[in-house]
Amino acid sequence: MQCAVLQFFPKTHVTYKFTNRTPDMRLSHEAFLWLQSQVEKLNALFLTSEEHDWLNSKCPYLKPGYLDFLRHYRFDPAQHVKLQYVAVSETHGDINLLVEGLWVDTILYEIPLLALISEAYFKFCDCDWSYEGQEENAYEKGTKLLRGGCVFSEFGTRRRRDTETQYQVIQGLKRAALDCQDCSGKLTGTSNVYFAKQYDLQPIGTMAHEWFMGIAASENDYEDATRTGLKNWTKCFGKGVLAVALTDTFGTPAFLKIFGQPIPKELVNHEASDTASNTQKVPTYAEIFTGVRQDSGDPLEYIKTMRKFYETMKLPNGRTIVFSDSLNVEKCIEYKSNAEQAGFKPTFGIGTFLTNDFKSLSSGVKSVPLNIVMKLSSAEGHPAVKLSDDLGKNTGDQEEVEKAKKQLGYIGKHWEGGNEKSRWG
């Protein structure tokens, strides 16, 4: 996504704000000091020549100009990151975390910052756990998914317990894939590009909410943000490339109104003569995108919504739905069955269930992960918001949220499975 931001929004100024949706799970001052020291060390990270060459061969959709930019990119936390500890008791406190700067310079902070916060908490505040059995647990989960015919990838970096946990999880998943080569399911890769290189996996990802949020805020226009986002994404990567559309940023109904429209002439290939091209049917975004991603609301209702949409568009079966919201083995198998019955190819991006699934050593009960997010909060001085398909996941300035709802005719719904305070525990 940084590649697209570099091409279309290189001078856009943004801010990001951290939210802890599990507010009773706070850091100690010791944990905060460790976190602070790790954030300062981010400026030591850089793309090696070997990693550059690997990206160039593994991700041909990344343009040479972007890879050159990435080669010279450095985190600058002293300039971009404002991190404060606010004591609420003698032992624990809240974190105030703000990231601010050019979008292209700050877009990469979210994942490492969230991963470090989670690691700080479970390194200093909740130590009643161990790594024992983590690789085997991942192996058993992977085996069940593969035998159940699920096509899935590991999406667990930002809320992982720590780096070692993710390492063991990927080892377990790789072993399961090796032992289940005759299964109809498949491990397709990981969203962690570093681990993808280390363990010969495909780096997997889609556009994020931030893409549409940033466009809407920077242009102060919710009604046209989806159109601009889809157009620029396609211009950056090409038709059918990285072509899974995230539909819920401002509610799926509003998204589908644009998704079903013809692409602009500038995206149409003019391979035939001008006369012939004038008689050709211009494809819609729904036709040039291979599928959609479901990340909020009721997944079973989403399947019905997308089935009705594609039938109205008279498009054939076989489109992809990527499910990525609070998954486990049982949910994946259930959603797979329903999606396939509706004519879709389901795939799954599984995160916290894989990389932060522990039990307390002393009690044997679930060791609850942090539910933490870091969202774009403004662009070019305008508030950035997300509506989603579940009222519980509306985020951003409340007055701006209401403004966006009014402009888009958004009608929110509550999904009983979407309680953010008890999402994984």
Side-chain angles (χ1 to χ4, degrees), residues 16 22-23 28 56 87 104 108 111 120 140 143 193 284 345 350 368 370 376 394 409:
Y16 297 81
T22 41
S28 65
N56 191 45
V104 73
L108 298 184
I111 302 303
E140 292 177 3
T143 300
V193 182
T284 63
K345 294 179 180 178
I350 309 174
V368 180
L370 286 174
L376 196 74
N394 289 178

Side-chain angles (χ1 to χ4, degrees), residues 170-380:
I170 291 178
Q171 290 284 91
L173 295 178
K174 286 269 290 184
R175 186 157 56 89
L178 184 64
D179 289 350
C180 296
Q181 295 183 59
D182 294 333
C183 297
S184 56
K186 182 179 180 181
L187 171 64
T188 54
T190 173
S191 63
N192 187 306
V193 182
Y194 174 80
F195 279 130
K197 179 181 181 298
Q198 293 297 109
Y199 298 107
D200 192 28
L201 292 168
Q202 184 67 30
I204 299 288
T206 72
M207 63 177 68
H209 298 108
E210 177 183 344
W211 177 241
F212 296 109
M213 292 170 66
I215 293 170
S218 63
E219 300 185 357
N220 199 23
D221 185 350
Y222 292 99
E223 295 179 273
D224 206 43
T226 296
R227 183 180 293 103
T228 301
L230 292 173
K231 180 186 71 174
N232 288 350
W233 189 266
T234 305
K235 287 176 71 174
C236 184
F237 300 111
K239 291 189 290 185
V241 181
L242 298 181
V244 172
L246 180 60
T247 67
D248 70 333
T249 305
F250 303 122
T252 293
F255 180 90
L256 295 182
K257 291 178 183 178
I258 307 301
F259 203 46
Q261 293 180 5
I263 64 175
K265 291 183 178 179
E266 60 191 292
L267 296 180
V268 178
N269 288 327
H270 296 284
E271 298 174 353
S273 66
D274 290 340
T275 302
S277 63
N278 286 336
T279 64
Q280 289 180 331
K281 178 182 177 293
V282 176
T284 63
Y285 284 111
E287 290 175 90
I288 67 171
F289 276 76
T290 56
V292 293
R293 175 176 155 209
Q294 190 272 338
D295 196 54
S296 64
D298 187 335
L300 301 183
E301 287 300 316
Y302 186 84
I303 293 169
K304 296 175 184 177
T305 296
M306 293 312 305
R307 177 69 271 145
K308 182 178 179 180
F309 170 78
Y310 282 122
E311 285 177 351
T312 301
M313 297 297 298
K314 295 182 171 55
L315 295 179
N317 290 348
R319 299 279 161 169
T320 297
I321 296 183
V322 179
F323 296 92
S324 59
D325 186 26
S326 303
L327 299 173
N328 58 31
V329 171
E330 292 73 22
K331 290 178 180 178
C332 289
I333 292 174
E334 179 188 6
Y335 302 161
K336 172 183 179 292
S337 174
N338 281 268
E340 287 179 340
Q341 288 177 29
F344 292 105
K345 294 179 180 178
T347 68
F348 304 90
I350 309 174
T352 308
F353 173 67
L354 292 173
T355 59
N356 206 332
D357 186 21
F358 288 78
K359 290 184 178 180
S360 167
L361 292 177
S362 59
S363 67
V365 302
K366 172 81 173 177
S367 176
V368 180
L370 286 174
N371 186 351
I372 50 179
V373 295
M374 191 158 187
K375 295 294 185 183
L376 196 74
S377 55
S378 74
E380 291 298 294

Side-chain angles (χ1 to χ4, degrees), residues 54-63 67 193 202-203:
W54 181 84
L55 283 173
N56 191 45
S57 63
K58 198 76 169 180
C59 307
Y61 46 81
L62 295 178
K63 298 179 179 180
L67 291 178
V193 182
Q202 184 67 30

